[in-house]
Amino acid sequence: PLQSKHDDRSLLFADLTQEEYLQVRQYMLRQKDLGISNSQLAKPSDNFLFLIELSLPKKVDALAYLDNKGSKPTREATVVVFHGARGYIREYVVGPLPNPKYYRDVTTERHKTELPINARTVTIGEYALLFQFFETEVFSKLERLMKESFNVDQQKKLNAFEQMPRGVRSGDRKTWVSFFRDMAGMYIHPVGFEVLVNHESLNASSWKVERLLYNGQYFDTVEDLKQKYDSDSLKKIVYKESPDYGSLKPRNKPTEIGPQLFYPKGRRYSVRKNHVLYMDWSFAFGLSSLTGMRVFDVRFRDERIAYEISVQEAMSVYGSVTPGMIITKFLDSSIGIGRFAHELVRGVDCPYEATYVDTYRYIDVPVPVLFRNSICIFEHNTGQPLRRHFADFFHNSYGGMVNNALVFRTITAIGNYDYMWDFIFYQSGSVEAKVHATGYISSSYLVNDNRKHGHQVAEKVLGNIHTHFIHFKVDLDVLGVKNIFETKDMEYVNVSLPWMPDRYAMIPQLVEHQLKTEQEAALRYNTKTPRYLHIASNKNNRWGHHRSYRLQVFSFTGDHLPESQAEERAMSWARYKVAITKHKDTEQTSSSLYNQNNIWTPAVDFSKYIEDNESIEDEDLVAWVTTGFLHIPHAEDIPNTVTVGNGGGVLLRPHNYFDEDPSIHASDGVYISP
Amino acid sequence: PLQSKHDDRSLLFADLTQEEYLQVRQYMLRQKDLGISNSQLAKPSDNFLFLIELSLPKKVDALAYLDNKGSKPTREATVVVFHGARGYIREYVVGPLPNPKYYRDVTTERHKTELPINARTVTIGEYALLFQFFETEVFSKLERLMKESFNVDQQKKLNAFEQMPRGVRSGDRKTWVSFFRDMAGMYIHPVGFEVLVNHESLNASSWKVERLLYNGQYFDTVEDLKQKYDSDSLKKIVYKESPDYGSLKPRNKPTEIGPQLFYPKGRRYSVRKNHVLYMDWSFAFGLSSLTGMRVFDVRFRDERIAYEISVQEAMSVYGSVTPGMIITKFLDSSIGIGRFAHELVRGVDCPYEATYVDTYRYIDVPVPVLFRNSICIFEHNTGQPLRRHFADFFHNSYGGMVNNALVFRTITAIGNYDYMWDFIFYQSGSVEAKVHATGYISSSYLVNDNRKHGHQVAEKVLGNIHTHFIHFKVDLDVLGVKNIFETKDMEYVNVSLPWMPDRYAMIPQLVEHQLKTEQEAALRYNTKTPRYLHIASNKNNRWGHHRSYRLQVFSFTGDHLPESQAEERAMSWARYKVAITKHKDTEQTSSSLYNQNNIWTPAVDFSKYIEDNESIEDEDLVAWVTTGFLHIPHAEDIPNTVTVGNGGGVLLRPHNYFDEDPSIHASDGVYISP
Ligand SMILES: [Ca+2]
Ligand SMILES: [Ca+2]
Ligand SMILES: [Ca+2]
Ligand SMILES: [Ca+2]
Ligand SMILES: [Cu+2]
Ligand SMILES: [Cu+2]
């Protein structure tokens, strides 16, 4: 039974409605001094309205409102404008919603510095120019090569996939673009042709090809390549039709229907607007176009457990011999993680019976866009007991309870990869944030049979080694915002046995520590860290122990990029398995929209949150959790990586938070006596 | 659709039938020279028929038969007799089944040494004598204390729970027994009374109380305690009624029905005798009374992937100040793991619609015992895609497949704890062995508020810190028995960028090694080990890579007992995260029935399998995998530990074994084009 009621205060965290997006857009377009365009094909030299998003309220104001101690915070939007005409990026706060009356430039307030225009994400407008550039400056000049090597002609094209970062130093916007067969799953169909385009200039007519790679050979200009090709003074690629191994069409016809979930007595959870109730749980939800899904004001039995749990970043570092992936370091929140939360397919992505929620987004578009069924919510029968005991010796009996849990899910298909994001709410008071990867791997054309950077997965195709690092923000509030960070572990202590004092034995003992500063609590990779990590209150449970939630991290990450590398600061959060900081509204995210394209001077360097080494004793604490896995692609990644074994996450578990397991009060309990 | 046919050759691995148990028992009882008793209340001084189990065929013979190259191996049973009258334990092989004509003493052949009688498991017969001993030698002499402190009288008793090992050196059989309130979940109701009983003698009349602990105070004799109690010269416990917090009765009435699994078109797997078919999979199964569940001849598309995957041991090391748990080290296979695979409850332990299988066992009983519904098998809809990709840029389309997998499960309630064991068969060719813990924690009476060894979880009750170490045997046979052990990982290499050679960058590179001897491949805790571990064939897949299965271990273990401790050799398998040995029929298990009660001179010391440091190049390899978790009990372990977060396992995944993901051929695939 639902233990609490829906509450419209959740709307504090609701994404903008279609109407709100339109109002904000119109208001900004009306500001003639800003000279903003919202054309889908705005040029880099235009002032382009790139993004409209909810601007989160200050936490102190939000809590006052939620806890009946303050009025409703003003609802505001963040607007990002790529001011191509002026050479910078600006962030504006616009409010109040739904009828804006003011805008305020918050760029330096939020980022302490100006945002150079080259830090911007490549827009659809810029892509259109890039594709046109390739057509006129590359393809049309290499007709014979294109036809003979790749069967490219007026009808048949190649597809492009770009390497990031775009260069090697601040100010660079030089992108290696690799070309792929125009087939399903093009990411695993590289043809062996890569082009370095310099598109630093805001004026596309100044763009130029700086280098080309063809069949493992480098050329300075298109003309150079053409001349050497025509004179047969290079190793040629001769076109060969490729099997359609990237297709996801089932090779066999469906013949049967597998097991299905059904709700014999209807749904046991409730979704109203952006508020969810499930058993003892309640929470508000949203979906940032940039960072992805998030929940707020997560409560169990009406007691707030977490203020925010959110996806922060998905980062990958690749290895290769060819430039198309040699220095690739993807920072997905700079493209937008939530942006790619597309429609979920019933019966595959989520159960048929799930509740599907529509969302609206405004990112790199002229009008707000509806994404139908882009969030799913369902109660899942995990097929195993949450707890059970069979007593055969004394008090012969059985007690147990099946593990039914609520799943909150989005899946974001960011180019080749699909990340499945789950927040799972268990009846034992645990919440889990989980990620799994599926979709297509990135690959490169196999040159000289060089397999130092991965495994061959198809004819002339190398699946490149890469890391997946995922970052979650976990702002637990355990009995209010004033918390401490405690660790627990075991150690063996040599102890004299009380009934035979001459005899010693090594006995496990509990070791507890409180870590009191941000730097102490920044738990680095490759260091031994305590096994139990707790965000705790100074208040005790009935048995005299600090009430706490434990963070249990599931992770298979590879090595983090060495700190010697200039690009590392843009992903410095990945240095830590877990880091604890003092909450600040100005430290809302661990990455930023600008980290990818200005990776050498990142707008957010997470390690700076820790540099001031603040006290984390009786403060509002935020836990930042890194998970992920090392991916050495193999033949079974063709056509798609499977979710099984390719994931990670963090489980937030009550640890002396309650006086007993709360699930003993659940209505799913079963008891059998002889 | 099922891809292969049932095959009665699976019966090679089938547990004994009721009739076979009876035949073996009768045959052994007829051997007058052995003088065997099968009385349930056989005394330690009797020759007691303790165990009848399947004796596994030699692997070479089994493979010859399975692969049509040899005749059916003779079916035999192992019989364990505790020869109390003669002072030793003997293992016999009895055959041929079903009509035995011979028996053979295999004790020294299997164990290289005699098995002393004190290495035996405590039988129900011995427990009966122990309980009687406590009644006459302790309780009846302490009537006043018992009544005043614990409300014990003729109607109301205390329950006993014993510490193991039984002493501190070879030959010891001195057991600390702790007493608990006779209530549901007695394990979390300690009263503060513990007694050390010396039951080394095979003659119960020689047993004696060696020490007593009452409310934290030690006494040499019952008389001493009684005298000090009666003269008020000790700190007394005054009886107080205890709330029924150990009860598993739901605190609220069931009001609703949760989500259920159903099979709209019937079951898509088939179970015949001990043989299972599911999609591309087939396997045989069995349930050893000692080690628990196991599968054999595991095939995917009729190709054998594993000869055996089996549970080996469940071990725990506890910490405490009081003797009732201070030196406790439980080795469950010495009591019998599979022995406690009781009836599974429909809708809680497994879905209603699962297939339930009955088993027969013969361990510490006078007749074979039927365990109804003690194994369950079901196809589970995991509620998430196995793989999916949504293409929005090019070739707009969607392909995906829900992750339906077959679960093979038993749950063993060994005293306080319930372990849930799952083998899961995925359509992507992976198999997973998983364990979760639930049931009651062990606890001790809180003395002097000493919480160095855990957390208080109820009035005067300390939940004691302990480790869970679980051992799995994974005998993969990748394209036959001749395999190698390979590791893969990443490393950053400083590389000159090909298009700007003056510029260097750290690039991830693939690092592969073959480990060639058992000692190289014994991967110890607290050492850095490669992230990818592979049992591989020298044969290549289509793309020129060794066909292999990768072992991915999920583990949260605590620290292993230091090797300085005499008891460590009996659990030396827990030194290693993963160890690879050359297969031997004589190294069937990593622990033994005799390791618990003769822990200082264990019949099986796993580290010896590695000591001879054999070559593991092109040999039949066995992977031994350790998993588990550190358990620091907390209030939410009352009344029962929950499965969520309390588990571990190993995923066996194809890695270049196939030429592509086999699930692309599955009938559950879904494809949507625009
Ligand atoms: Ca700080
Ligand atoms: Ca907080
Ligand atoms: Ca060996
Ligand atoms: Ca093998
Ligand atoms: Cu990957
Ligand atoms: Cu435990």
Side-chain angles (χ1 to χ4, degrees), chain B residues 7-14 66 272-275 283-284:
Chain B
D7 186 335
D8 273 352
R9 280 178 286 194
S10 69
L11 292 174
L12 208 51
F13 306 108
L66 293 170
R272 196 180 80 186
K273 296 170 185 168
N274 72 327
H275 196 243
F283 61 89

Side-chain angles (χ1 to χ4, degrees), chain B residues 144-151 229 236-239:
Chain B
R144 191 180 141 210
L145 179 154
M146 285 293 145
K147 182 69 192 170
E148 291 176 0
S149 294
F150 309 126
N151 198 31
Y229 185 91
K236 291 188 179 181
I237 294 170
V238 179
Y239 176 72

Side-chain angles (χ1 to χ4, degrees), chain B residues 52-71:
Chain B
I52 305 174
E53 270 230 304
L54 174 69
S55 181
L56 286 169
K58 284 204 175 73
K59 182 170 174 182
V60 62
D61 299 337
L63 288 182
Y65 172 62
L66 293 170
D67 298 341
N68 295 314
K69 291 169 192 153
S71 57

Side-chain angles (χ1 to χ4, degrees), chain A residues 1 168 176 182-183 211 218 251-252 254 256 258-262 264 268 318-319 323 326 342 345 348-349 379-383 385-390 392 395 398 401 409 415-416 418 438-440 451-453 455-459 488 490 492 498-499 503 506-510 512 531-532 543 545 552-554 556-561 565 630-632 634-636 638 640 642-643 645-646 653-658 660-661 664-665 667, chain B residues 1 168-169 176 182-183 211 218 251-252 254 256 258-262 264 268 318-319 323 326 342 345 348-349 379-383 385-390 392 395 398 401 409 415-416 418 438-440 451-453 455-459 488 490 492 498-499 503 506-510 531-532 541 543 545 552-554 556-561 565 630 632 634-636 638 640 642-643 645-646 653-658 660-661 664-665 667:
Chain A
V168 298
W176 274 103
D182 184 29
M183 298 178 74
R211 205 67 63 94
Y218 287 88
R251 310 294 189 255
N252 294 307
E256 20 181 50
Q260 304 292 326
L261 201 72
F262 80 118
R268 306 199 299 174
Y318 282 80
I326 191 169
H342 292 283
V345 173
V348 183
D349 292 333
E379 187 181 13
H380 186 54
N381 181 325
T382 65
L386 175 63
R387 54 177 175 76
R388 64 92 78 186
H389 179 70
F390 172 72
D392 63 340
H395 287 272
Y398 171 91
M401 174 178 160
R409 175 177 298 163
N416 56 318
D418 302 55
T438 176
Y440 291 102
R451 310 196 204 183
K452 277 194 297 192
H453 299 90
H455 290 308
Q456 188 174 343
V457 296
E459 184 88 30
K488 303 183 189 195
M490 66 175 289
Y492 282 98
W499 71 101
R503 186 97 198 173
M506 295 292 277
I507 309 298
Q509 200 166 295
L510 174 63
E512 297 180 278
R531 291 184 174 93
Y532 277 46
W543 315 115
H545 297 288
Q552 184 177 8
V553 182
F554 296 74
F556 293 89
T557 51
D559 290 328
H560 176 53
L561 188 66
Q565 303 295 291
L630 169 65
H631 196 167
I632 303 173
H634 46 102
E636 294 84 355
I638 306 299
N640 274 183
V642 297
T643 52
N646 294 319
R653 333 169 39 169
H655 193 102
N656 293 324
Y657 183 88
F658 301 107
E660 64 180 349
D661 171 24
I664 196 69
H665 298 276
S667 68
Chain B
V168 297
R169 61 177 73 83
W176 273 102
D182 184 28
M183 297 177 75
R211 204 68 62 96
Y218 287 88
R251 308 294 188 257
N252 293 306
E256 18 181 53
Q260 303 292 326
L261 201 70
F262 80 116
R268 307 199 298 173
Y318 283 78
I326 191 169
H342 292 283
V345 173
V348 183
D349 292 332
E379 187 181 13
H380 185 54
N381 182 326
T382 64
L386 176 63
R387 54 176 175 77
R388 65 91 77 186
H389 180 70
F390 172 70
D392 63 339
H395 287 270
Y398 171 91
M401 174 177 161
R409 174 177 298 163
N416 57 318
D418 301 55
T438 177
Y440 291 102
R451 309 197 203 182
K452 277 194 297 192
H453 298 90
H455 290 309
Q456 187 175 343
V457 295
E459 183 89 31
K488 304 185 190 195
M490 66 176 290
Y492 282 97
W499 71 100
R503 187 96 197 174
M506 295 293 276
I507 309 297
Q509 199 164 294
L510 175 63
R531 291 184 173 92
Y532 278 46
N541 75 348
W543 315 114
H545 297 288
Q552 184 177 6
V553 182
F554 296 74
F556 292 90
T557 51
D559 291 328
H560 175 54
L561 188 68
Q565 303 297 290
L630 169 65
I632 303 174
H634 46 102
E636 294 85 356
I638 305 299
N640 273 182
V642 296
T643 53
N646 294 320
R653 335 168 39 168
H655 193 103
N656 294 322
Y657 183 88
F658 301 106
E660 63 180 351
D661 170 24
I664 196 67
H665 297 278
S667 69

Side-chain angles (χ1 to χ4, degrees), chain A residues 518 584 587 609-610 612 614:
Chain A
E518 288 178 327
K584 288 180 185 161
E587 295 176 356
Y609 294 2
I610 290 161
D612 57 358
E614 285 164 291

